[in-house]
Amino acid sequence: MSAETVATAPEKGPRHVALIMDGNGRWAERRGLPRVMGHREGVQALRRTIKAAPDFGIRCLTVFGFSTENWSRPADEVSDLMGLVRSFVGSDLKRLEAAGVRIRVLGRRRGLPADIAAIVDRAEAQTAHNDRFLLQVAFNYGGRADLADAAQRLVDQTRAGQFTGEVTEDDLGAGLSTAGAPPVDLIVRTSGEQRLSNFLLWEAAYAELVFQDILWPDYGAEALGEAVALYSDRERRYGGRDVLPDATAAKTAAI
């Protein structure tokens, strides 16, 4: 599906797409390369995808960069991933700012290396004025952890006398790191795996899911277009159902 095709029917395309960028390690292993090379190529795929997203009518992109569980990986791999964050922000921040991209980082700040935390703060502050496109990076993020943190905020507010009454979905949602972002329309996972892996558990409630058999370093505009096309062919009812206009139509449908 081309960007031009989506542009002619924007009402059917997703506005907010979330990506589980899976397959960097396998991409490198199949080529006899160290895993870090897969992560580096994955950064190139991210650049291609960010650039292509607006052409498909996408206005918000949320990417799973580093999970709370990823700290258990070998120390050298974690160090390489942190290095890529430093490199990406250092080389791309000014370009993204100039392109009207607002960067928002989801997840826990505590536990991050001091310089990474400073980079995160700088990226958010430097692009806070932009409103053309929202790029959310889930970093040191886990869906369960985010829900636990939101619940803890309500507990703290209750103890401080700032919150009373029964907890609503809106109350809990307001405490998530994604609060204020548009609803997630489409969640895409690459590499052929078919699970969410603790990503956007609350936000996924009515999102469409697409699983693509492509390793993340090979991703780009064409693969994103295929995911958008699959989404556009689906009918979203949010738990409801189509209602036939009259009894005659209902009878006809039953025959």
Side-chain angles (χ1 to χ4, degrees):
M1 184 182 219
S2 69
E4 182 179 356
T5 301
V6 176
T8 61
E11 71 281 357
K12 293 199 69 176
R15 292 307 191 200
H16 184 174
V17 175
L19 292 165
I20 302 175
M21 306 178 292
D22 194 19
N24 291 343
R26 274 169 283 174
W27 184 93
E29 289 167 3
R30 290 178 184 179
R31 290 161 175 77
L33 300 171
R35 289 177 65 87
V36 67
M37 295 304 297
H39 294 310
R40 289 175 182 172
E41 288 300 317
V43 171
Q44 297 299 324
L46 178 58
R47 289 188 175 111
R48 292 192 297 270
T49 305
I50 293 171
K51 182 179 180 180
D55 294 334
F56 291 102
I58 298 167
R59 293 295 174 261
C60 179
L61 195 66
T62 300
V63 298
F64 205 0
F66 190 87
S67 77
T68 50
E69 291 81 16
N70 286 157
W71 294 107
S72 63
R73 293 188 176 187
D76 59 344
E77 185 174 357
V78 172
S79 178
D80 288 334
L81 289 168
M82 295 298 155
L84 287 174
V85 172
R86 298 180 183 98
S87 175
F88 179 76
V89 173
S91 62
D92 288 50
L93 182 56
K94 287 185 178 180
R95 179 181 59 80
L96 292 171
E97 180 187 10
V101 177
R102 177 190 169 199
I103 298 175
R104 187 184 190 197
V105 180
L106 314 178
R108 291 175 171 173
R109 302 296 169 89
R110 64 181 183 274
L112 291 178
D115 70 315
I116 295 294
I119 286 172
V120 166
D121 291 341
R122 177 163 62 92
E124 289 189 329
Q126 195 166 321
T127 62
H129 61 285
N130 286 336
D131 59 7
R132 190 174 302 167
F133 188 87
L134 176 61
L135 173 63
Q136 297 190 128
V137 182
F139 194 80
N140 197 25
Y141 172 90
R144 289 178 176 177
D146 209 35
L147 284 165
D149 290 346
Q152 186 61 54
R153 290 186 184 95
L154 287 175
V155 170
D156 294 342
Q157 291 170 4
T158 301
R159 289 172 176 170
Q162 300 169 349
F163 179 84
T164 58
E166 295 184 356
V167 176
T168 67
E169 292 182 8
D170 288 341
D171 294 328
L172 190 59
L176 297 172
S177 61
T178 55
V184 178
D185 298 308
L186 170 64
I187 297 178
V188 177
R189 181 171 187 147
T190 61
S191 85
E193 302 291 347
Q194 298 187 18
R195 56 182 178 274
L196 290 177
S197 293
N198 201 19
F199 182 51
L200 299 180
L201 300 182
W202 177 275
E203 298 81 358
Y206 282 103
E208 295 295 321
L209 306 181
V210 167
F211 303 102
Q212 293 180 286
D213 193 14
I214 178 175
L215 300 178
W216 177 251
D218 294 325
Y219 212 81
E222 182 177 355
L224 180 62
E226 291 173 356
V228 168
L230 288 169
Y231 171 92
S232 299
D233 286 340
R234 297 181 184 180
E235 183 178 353
R236 307 181 76 200
R237 292 191 292 271
Y238 300 96
R241 63 180 179 85
D242 290 334
V243 179
L244 293 170
D246 53 42
T248 301
K251 182 178 179 181
T252 300
I255 296 175

